[in-house]
């Protein structure tokens, strides 16, 4: 397979930045809130957010870099239209005509890494020359602000934002390996539900919320702490480097307890594990590209660095990690 590079990333955070305020939770708890979060505007769509996230790529690489893509892959936390994703609309806005437009609806908080794996297959096989992968987190300003939902413990955690990445068939910033693991037996324990038990398309008075099943909470805590270190160690074994040689670990940003547990398990100094949780909250799938973009712009990631991107989804039904030798 020919080399494929993660050439650049860019991100967008909605203008509305809100303090979380006081929420009762024990220190280190799963639902211990961040200090601030961004919230999507009421009339702001997933395509709006991704178009704005692409602005950084356009500024640095020119309009043709996003216009001439062969592959476009998106993952959106909350679809604006449940019939289809936003890939087609985004392609139109970018003036692009990709051969493949794929709107994912699985792999959640680790979907950025999964999309890298898919794009790498297309580009590495010679079927395409460039790809754009896109994540949107938009639950906070739409689901979690509802009057009956905003007081729940989990409502204090999510933030909104979008991240995009440009991949090319080149050796400038090569993706060395991507490791993924599906645990199908854990699927379905995170769901959209309401007090009246209706399906989301059925009429009713209950406000929709994102929730775990009773066993799902236990699974999320147990699996969440172990899955990321496990998948990262497996990735490092495949690449042939010890975890201690990771220069920068970029993960999804679920809560402080998980972030601390992951770097402790891998023996990494906090300076090598960028943290956007207190500024942005849990950005779900967008957490990895938004955090990587920030690490690149503040100089945390240097040319030649070994960058590992990792995360897990939902209550542990998916985990993934990717190694990138960051170029100039």
């Amino acid at each position: 397979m020919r080399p494929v590079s993660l050439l650049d990333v860019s991100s967008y955070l909605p203008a509305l930045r809100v303090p979380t305020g006081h929420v009762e939770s024990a220190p280190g708890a799963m639902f211990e809130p961040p200090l601030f979060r961004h919230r999507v505007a009421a009339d702001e769509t997933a395509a709006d957010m991704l178009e704005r996230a692409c602005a950084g790529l356009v500024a640095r690489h020119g309009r043709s870099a996003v216009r001439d893509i062969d592959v476009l892959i998106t993952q959106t936390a909350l679809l604006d239209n449940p019939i289809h994703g936003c890939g087609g609309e985004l392609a139109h806005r970018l003036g692009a005509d990709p051969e493949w437009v794929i709107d994912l609806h699985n792999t959640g908080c680790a979907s950025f890494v999964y999309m890298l794996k898919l794009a790498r297959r297309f580009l590495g096989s010679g079927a395409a020359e460039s790809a754009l992968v896109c994540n949107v987190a938009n639950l906070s300003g739409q689901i979690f602000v509802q009057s009956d939902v905003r007081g729940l413990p989990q409502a204090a955690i999510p933030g909104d934002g979008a991240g995009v990445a440009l991949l090319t068939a080149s050796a400038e910033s090569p993706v060395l390996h991507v490791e993924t693991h599906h645990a199908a037996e854990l699927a379905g324990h995170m769901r959209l539900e309401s007090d009246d038990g209706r399906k989301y398309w059925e009429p009713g008075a209950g406000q929709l919320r994102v929730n775990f099943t009773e066993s799902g909470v236990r699974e999320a805590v147990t699996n969440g702490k172990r899955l990321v270190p496990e998948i990262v160690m497996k990735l490092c074994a495949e690449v042939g480097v010890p975890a201690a040689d990771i220069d920068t670990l970029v993960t999804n940003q679920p809560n402080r307890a998980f972030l601390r547990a992951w770097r402790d398990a891998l023996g990494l100094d906090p300076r090598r594990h960028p943290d956007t949780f207190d500024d942005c909250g849990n950005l779900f799938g967008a957490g990895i590209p938004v955090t990587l973009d920030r690490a690149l712009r503040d100089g945390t990631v240097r040319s030649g660095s070994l960058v590992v991107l990792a995360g897990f989804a939902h209550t542990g039904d998916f985990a993934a990690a990717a190694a990138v030798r960051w170029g100039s």
Side-chain angles (χ1 to χ4, degrees), residues 266-282:
L266 294 168
L268 295 178
D269 186 281
R271 290 173 294 182
R272 288 194 279 165
H273 184 202
D275 179 348
T276 56
F277 179 75
D278 267 327
D279 289 334
C280 303
N282 181 359

Side-chain angles (χ1 to χ4, degrees), residues 146 148 194-208:
Q146 299 175 99
D148 294 341
S194 66
D195 287 333
D196 57 12
R198 63 188 173 89
K199 296 180 176 67
Y200 74 86
W201 63 83
E202 293 178 329
Q207 295 178 1
L208 293 171

Side-chain angles (χ1 to χ4, degrees), residues 14-281:
L16 179 60
R17 183 172 183 256
V18 296
T20 298
H22 178 72
V23 177
E24 291 292 344
S25 64
M30 183 172 177
F31 297 129
E32 185 181 4
L35 298 178
F36 294 93
R37 294 169 294 160
H38 294 258
R39 282 185 181 156
V40 64
D43 59 350
E44 194 169 22
T45 68
D48 292 334
M49 296 173 74
L50 289 176
E51 184 180 18
R52 290 160 186 163
C54 285
L57 297 180
V58 172
R60 292 188 289 275
H61 304 279
R63 173 64 61 178
S64 62
V66 297
R67 186 189 59 219
D68 297 342
I69 53 170
D70 304 303
V71 181
L72 174 62
I73 312 175
T74 72
Q75 197 274 346
T76 304
L78 184 67
L79 295 175
D80 295 306
N81 184 333
I83 306 301
H84 57 74
C86 65
E89 183 179 353
L90 178 62
H92 176 68
R93 293 188 185 197
L94 298 177
D97 185 24
E99 184 171 356
W100 293 277
V101 177
I102 302 169
D103 292 307
L104 285 179
H105 203 56
N106 65 340
T107 65
C109 294
S111 56
F112 183 77
V113 182
Y114 190 52
M115 290 190 289
L116 290 187
K117 185 172 186 176
L118 291 176
R120 188 173 180 238
R121 287 290 182 182
F122 281 109
L123 276 59
S125 69
E129 296 300 319
S130 64
L132 189 67
V133 300
C134 312
N135 276 110
V136 177
N138 57 350
L139 288 165
S140 178
Q142 301 188 108
I143 292 292
F144 289 104
V145 294
Q146 299 175 99
S147 58
D148 294 341
V149 178
R150 62 190 178 201
L152 299 174
Q154 63 265 37
I157 308 301
D160 294 330
V164 297
L166 179 65
L167 288 90
T168 59
S170 69
E172 295 179 56
S173 188
V175 180
L176 305 177
H177 184 66
V178 183
E179 193 71 34
T180 58
H181 175 68
H182 291 270
E185 69 276 9
L186 297 175
H189 291 288
M190 186 175 177
R191 57 186 62 179
L192 195 65
E193 62 181 31
S194 66
D195 287 333
D196 57 12
R198 63 188 173 89
K199 296 180 176 67
Y200 74 86
W201 63 83
E202 293 178 329
Q207 295 178 1
L208 293 171
R209 62 181 182 271
V210 178
N211 206 3
F212 293 112
T213 62
E214 186 175 341
S215 63
V217 175
R218 296 191 298 271
E219 290 164 354
V221 173
T222 302
N223 297 324
K225 288 187 176 180
R226 68 172 179 84
L227 281 173
V228 169
E230 285 180 2
I231 200 83
V232 169
M233 293 298 291
K234 191 172 182 180
L235 173 80
C236 288
E238 290 290 334
V239 176
V241 298
D245 284 357
I246 297 172
D247 294 303
T248 305
L249 172 67
V250 180
T251 63
N252 63 310
Q253 304 281 306
N255 56 60
R256 295 188 193 93
F258 284 7
L259 295 174
R260 184 167 52 250
W262 295 343
R263 59 177 173 261
D264 287 349
L266 294 168
L268 295 178
D269 186 281
R271 290 173 294 182
R272 288 194 279 165
H273 184 202
D275 179 348
T276 56
F277 179 75
D278 267 327
D279 289 334
C280 303

Side-chain angles (χ1 to χ4, degrees), residues 276-319:
T276 56
F277 179 75
D278 267 327
D279 289 334
C280 303
N282 181 359
L283 290 173
F284 300 96
I288 293 176
V290 168
T291 305
L292 177 58
D293 183 38
R294 182 169 296 189
L296 287 167
R297 307 310 150 211
D298 68 14
T300 298
V301 178
R302 301 182 184 277
S303 180
S305 294
L306 177 63
V307 178
V308 170
L309 314 173
F312 84 103
H314 309 124
T315 62
D317 61 359
F318 180 73

